[in-house]
């Protein structure tokens, strides 16, 4: 008699947001509350996400060109999740730090162009803990009808 391996249960996010963004540049910026400047986007295909020295601002390079729509999802977990199933052409891990100031998102010029509906103010806050909030993350990129980015965040 052989034992069957039990698959790992999929951990559900405690907070999430998905939106379509039309990029004004071939990158976008995630400000985690109170950044000390913006990281220049990476120019290599190996690194698609760049953090500032303080880890409070992320710059993500898109594979598409300017003015192309990108589907972007932010998934926040209580613990490290497994990577989402699917065919991802790029996977990368990162660390970041958020404050209790609402996060903002921009395509490099105008935050109003980033998402049709704004993400929740408390997306990166961690109830019961004092800021700054330290996160680990994973960037997953796929190419479907539009380029898709999923950023998974969990406590560091």
């Amino acid at each position: 008699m052989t034992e069957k391996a039990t698959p790992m249960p999929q951990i559900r996010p405690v907070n999430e947001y998905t939106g379509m963004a039309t990029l004004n540049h071939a990158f976008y910026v995630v400000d985690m509350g109170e950044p000390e400047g913006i990281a220049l986007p990476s120019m290599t295909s190996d690194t698609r996400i760049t953090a500032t020295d303080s880890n409070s601002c992320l710059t993500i390079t898109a594979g598409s060109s300017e003015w192309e729509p990108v589907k972007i999802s932010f998934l926040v977990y209580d613990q490290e999740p497994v990577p989402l199933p699917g065919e991802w052409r790029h996977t990368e891990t990162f660390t970041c730090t958020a404050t209790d100031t609402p996060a903002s998102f921009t395509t490099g010029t105008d935050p109003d162009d980033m998402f049709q509906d704004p993400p929740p103010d408390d997306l990166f806050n961690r109830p019961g803990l004092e800021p700054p909030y330290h996160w680990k993350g994973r960037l997953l990129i796929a190419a479907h009808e539009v380029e898709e980015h999923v950023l998974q965040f969990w406590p560091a």
Side-chain angles (χ1 to χ4, degrees):
M1 186 167 174
T2 60
E3 278 187 41
K4 286 188 175 182
T6 306
M8 294 280 294
Q10 185 68 22
I11 299 169
R12 305 283 309 155
V14 296
N15 208 347
E16 61 186 297
Y17 174 81
T18 298
M20 292 296 296
T22 301
L23 304 185
N24 289 349
H25 299 286
F27 67 89
Y28 58 97
V29 174
V30 180
D31 160 356
M32 306 292 286
E34 296 173 4
E36 297 168 8
I38 292 175
L40 293 175
S42 172
M43 294 298 156
T44 74
S45 59
D46 294 343
T47 304
R48 301 288 289 277
I49 189 163
T50 310
T52 56
D53 289 341
S54 65
N55 287 336
S56 62
C57 189
L58 305 171
T59 302
I60 298 96
T61 307
S64 57
S65 62
E66 293 180 28
W67 307 108
E68 293 288 326
V70 176
K71 179 181 178 183
I72 303 172
S73 297
F74 300 99
L75 306 176
V76 181
Y77 300 85
D78 282 335
Q79 60 187 12
E80 182 177 356
V82 296
L84 294 176
E87 292 188 30
W88 301 99
R89 71 174 189 214
H90 182 84
T91 303
E92 187 175 342
T93 58
F94 60 91
T95 59
C96 57
T97 301
T99 67
D100 58 352
T101 303
S104 66
F105 310 92
T106 180
T107 63
T109 56
D110 186 356
D112 293 335
D113 293 338
M114 187 66 181
F115 293 115
Q116 204 167 19
D117 299 313
D121 287 344
D122 62 349
L123 187 63
F124 298 109
N125 293 8
R126 296 189 45 209
L129 296 179
E130 293 293 320
Y133 311 108
H134 301 287
W135 295 98
K136 289 186 178 181
R138 181 183 299 121
L139 169 65
L140 304 165
I141 299 176
H144 301 294
E145 293 81 37
V146 297
E147 184 167 333
E148 182 175 356
H149 290 198
V150 174
L151 290 98
Q152 295 177 298
F153 297 88
W154 62 91

